[in-house]
Amino acid sequence: MKQQIPYKALAILIAGLWSFNALSQISPDRLKQFISDTKLSSKTGIKNATQVREFYSRLNYRPVWIREDRQPDLPVFLHARGLSADFGLTEKDYQFNYSAAGNTTELQNGTDSLTAEIRITDAAIHFYNDIAYGNTKPALGYYGLKQKQGYRDIPALLAEYISSKKLHLLMPDLSAALPEIKVLESRIQKLRKALMAPGFKELAISSGKISKTNIPLIAKLHQLGIYQNLSDTLLKQQLKEAQKQFSLQADGILKGNTIRELNVPVSVRLEQLSLAVNYYRWLYSLTQNRAVIVVNIPAAFMKVYRNKEVILAMRMIVGKKSTPTPTLASVVDEVILYPYWHVPFSIATKEMLPKLRNNPGYINSGNFQVLNGSGSIVNPYSVNWGSLSRGYFPYTIRQSTGCDNSLGLIKLDFESPFGVYLHDTPVKYLFTLNKRYFSHGCMRMEKPLDLGHLVLKNNPIAIDTLTQKGCLRNQSPITVHADDHMQVVVWYNPVGMDSTGRVVFYEDVYGKFNWMKKK
């Protein structure tokens, strides 16, 4: 979508920057001396002093934006900056007062000219960096990745594209190539177009009637890009499409959660989309030449990316609101075949201990074992369960291997302080549900062996043998070191894309954002 840019204001700005005083005051020697000042950031207010110096060193310290030949680079950058909102960015993040005194109509002296020159560069580096990597990173409770995020040198690229007179191509060339990004950007642009349309008005749906006479419903579907002037029968199909976009059961009934989601203001949807698209830009920098396992908690879904492709996708079961799955970034280091389940202390004392007080046989019936402090197995009937409590519980309870083991046949381990992991499950029917928030925090996989094959790419026999033998009762766990140390990102992203290319807004299941309360 083309944004309405205030060309008159832009022309005045450019004219001021290209004034005689400005053009006559900058030379490479003066520019080099000016940016060599160790107090450059505090004197000029720029945020990227090191990158600014790198940029000019590649150009032999010649000015770029304020110069006598009036190259089009400044208008090109200002035009791109004016499109910030169409790409989920905030234009004011890249604004600048270009004179030392804050005067934005005329440059009075050489210091003003030099300050303007480097402030524009600083803003440009910031802008193009956000186009490449996003303006915000996902909030992660643990970050255990060692690699540096940035893989493209923004100052070097900016200098190169200016030197080769193709600055207009830098923005599209830097745009991250994950499929979700283009789809989310397109939706942002369509919603902004609807928001800025003459006569736009938010209408709240109150009636459950599916008819063209339900004007608020028609308005909402139109804003979502769904509505076509069709019969009431086909209108129900369009409502089902809206429900799919909200990750709801597509039953074509207008009530409850469907009305609530349709009544979310366009401005809130734009906030959600902008956050999501910047999360995906951040993610793209991790996918270069390495695979990344991404679990999105609100979606209860996993995608595995390599470069810009999704190479595996599956449904997940994640934590309940009361026992949420933590966000994190780590690396898979090993795969456990026939894993034990060591029951977390909280589960053992809160959920299992009351049952054991009444019936110690619960241990044997569930294929559990009681371990003392030295790791030896203890007869559950020899334990005085009534004397134990959350404050005193000197045992570990683990579930042995077998078809009823809560971790199934395979577990993928990675470092984190939360004691969570990716694992199989014997309870497969839960994957058929639309809302899949049932665990105590761990992440159950719909296709665990498929992911196991990817991680153990040089050892396919390990997974194939597991498939052939199935679940073996009391089989000792087998640890296999990962061949592909895949990165794991568990994030909380409000918007994504399904396999058909449909934008999907997810329920804020843990109440992390509270979008509507901000309004």
Side-chain angles (χ1 to χ4, degrees):
M1 184 189 84
K2 297 264 186 180
Q3 178 174 308
Q4 294 298 318
I5 300 175
Y7 286 105
K8 184 175 181 181
L10 183 60
I12 293 173
L13 172 60
I14 293 171
L17 291 168
W18 281 346
S19 66
F20 175 78
N21 283 338
L23 299 175
S24 62
Q25 301 289 346
I26 302 179
S27 67
D29 288 341
R30 289 204 62 200
L31 182 56
K32 182 177 181 180
Q33 181 182 9
F34 189 75
I35 65 175
S36 297
D37 191 331
T38 58
K39 297 181 179 179
L40 181 65
S41 294
S42 60
K43 287 184 176 180
T44 62
I46 66 171
K47 299 177 181 178
N48 306 286
T50 299
Q51 292 178 304
V52 166
R53 293 187 181 102
E54 178 189 345
F55 169 77
Y56 283 112
S57 71
R58 292 177 176 274
L59 297 173
N60 295 318
Y61 300 96
R62 64 179 176 84
V64 170
W65 316 106
I66 303 175
R67 44 191 288 180
E68 292 186 61
D69 56 6
R70 301 195 177 190
Q71 289 293 320
D73 300 318
L74 179 59
V76 167
F77 164 57
L78 294 179
H79 175 79
R81 187 190 69 167
L83 298 174
S84 295
D86 280 349
F87 294 89
L89 302 177
T90 304
E91 184 178 357
K92 67 179 182 180
D93 290 345
Y94 321 109
Q95 291 178 346
F96 49 86
N97 288 325
Y98 56 74
S99 74
N103 187 327
T104 58
T105 58
E106 186 177 355
L107 301 178
Q108 302 294 331
N109 52 49
T111 300
D112 278 358
S113 302
L114 290 164
T115 299
E117 171 73 24
I118 66 165
R119 280 182 175 170
I120 298 170
T121 298
D122 185 57
I125 290 171
H126 187 181
F127 173 77
Y128 290 113
N129 187 80
D130 285 355
I131 286 291
Y133 304 124
N135 64 5
T136 186
K137 298 178 181 179
L140 300 174
Y142 170 76
Y143 190 85
L145 302 182
K146 302 297 190 292
Q147 76 175 68
K148 186 179 179 181
Q149 180 196 1
Y151 64 97
R152 287 181 281 193
D153 188 334
I154 301 300
L157 286 171
L158 182 59
E160 175 191 336
Y161 276 62
I162 288 174
S163 296
S164 56
K165 301 186 186 324
K166 57 178 185 180
L167 182 60
H168 61 288
L169 296 178
L170 181 56
M171 185 174 176
D173 287 354
L174 280 176
S175 294
L178 286 183
E180 288 89 347
I181 293 174
K182 293 300 181 186
V183 171
L184 295 179
E185 287 176 348
S186 177
R187 178 56 64 89
I188 288 171
Q189 290 157 20
K190 288 177 181 177
L191 283 185
R192 292 196 69 244
K193 183 177 180 180
L195 189 65
M196 295 186 295
F200 171 83
K201 185 178 181 182
E202 290 281 8
L203 298 176
I205 298 171
S206 57
S207 169
K209 186 176 182 180
I210 303 175
S211 168
K212 288 186 286 187
T213 62
N214 190 342
I215 302 303
L217 171 62
I218 300 304
K220 291 292 184 180
L221 293 177
H222 181 73
Q223 292 164 8
L224 290 169
I226 297 172
Y227 178 69
Q228 299 175 20
N229 190 17
L230 301 172
S231 66
D232 288 351
T233 301
L234 292 175
L235 182 58
K236 187 172 183 178
Q237 297 301 316
Q238 295 172 353
L239 178 61
K240 289 181 179 181
E241 171 58 29
Q243 290 172 320
K244 291 177 182 177
Q245 291 191 19
F246 301 138
S247 194
L248 298 174
Q249 183 179 353
D251 56 14
I253 299 173
L254 184 57
K255 65 176 184 179
N257 289 337
T258 300
I259 291 178
R260 186 194 71 219
E261 292 296 332
L262 284 168
N263 281 338
V264 172
V266 170
S267 58
V268 170
R269 294 300 184 201
L270 282 169
E271 284 185 64
Q272 295 170 335
L273 287 161
S274 295
L275 183 69
V277 76
N278 283 291
Y279 277 9
Y280 277 107
R281 289 182 180 127
W282 171 85
L283 176 65
Y284 183 61
S285 68
L286 300 181
T287 67
Q288 303 307 297
N289 303 314
R290 291 194 65 183
V292 185
I293 301 165
V294 181
V295 177
N296 190 11
I297 297 170
F301 202 84
M302 174 197 289
K303 291 182 180 180
V304 181
Y305 296 85
R306 181 172 282 124
N307 294 322
K308 62 181 180 180
E309 303 293 334
V310 176
I311 59 174
L312 179 63
M314 70 179 80
R315 291 185 165 207
M316 301 290 291
I317 294 167
V318 295
K320 298 173 287 188
K321 185 174 183 179
S322 59
T323 55
T325 295
T327 56
L328 58 90
S330 191
V331 177
V332 174
D333 48 28
E334 60 186 20
V335 177
I336 314 297
L337 311 181
Y338 301 108
Y340 287 135
W341 178 41
H342 290 85
V343 180
F345 177 82
S346 59
I347 299 176
T349 56
K350 184 177 181 180
E351 299 181 23
M352 296 183 70
L353 182 56
K355 297 177 182 178
L356 292 170
R357 286 171 179 156
N358 294 325
N359 178 23
Y362 176 77
I363 290 291
N364 294 330
S365 64
N367 198 24
F368 291 102
Q369 298 170 328
V370 181
L371 307 180
N372 61 20
S374 63
S376 299
I377 297 175
V378 176
N379 187 330
Y381 289 96
S382 69
V383 176
N384 182 1
W385 297 105
S387 68
L388 304 183
S389 66
R390 185 175 180 83
Y392 176 69
F393 194 86
Y395 300 101
T396 296
I397 297 177
R398 77 181 181 195
Q399 189 175 36
S400 191
T401 55
C403 291
D404 52 357
N405 182 279
S406 295
L407 304 186
L409 298 178
I410 185 171
K411 177 180 78 166
L412 277 67
D413 261 346
F414 47 82
E415 183 178 349
S416 89
F418 306 117
V420 298
Y421 25 78
L422 296 161
H423 65 84
D424 184 17
T425 175
V427 187
K428 306 293 187 183
Y429 79 92
L430 292 177
F431 292 111
T432 65
L433 303 179
N434 195 43
K435 304 295 183 183
R436 300 182 297 280
Y437 317 107
F438 298 106
S439 83
H440 287 83
C442 279
M443 295 157 278
R444 308 175 197 169
M445 299 181 284
E446 181 186 25
K447 305 174 185 176
L449 301 186
D450 290 2
L451 184 58
H453 269 295
L454 292 176
V455 174
L456 302 179
K457 61 182 181 179
N458 297 326
N459 191 8
I461 192 171
I463 301 299
D464 292 341
T465 301
L466 192 69
T467 303
Q468 293 166 7
K469 292 184 177 181
C471 49
L472 301 176
R473 195 171 180 84
N474 296 323
Q475 163 71 44
S476 296
I478 301 171
T479 298
V480 185
H481 293 290
D483 294 317
D484 189 342
H485 292 267
M486 289 187 174
Q487 301 166 107
V488 180
V489 172
V490 182
W491 68 7
Y492 197 91
N493 196 332
V495 190
M497 185 186 81
D498 69 13
S499 60
T500 69
R502 176 188 293 112
V503 172
V504 182
F505 297 90
Y506 303 113
E507 180 185 357
D508 184 6
V509 289
Y510 295 167
K512 286 181 175 287
F513 294 121
N514 294 317
W515 303 101
M516 298 300 289
K517 292 183 179 180
K518 299 176 184 177
K519 297 299 168 183

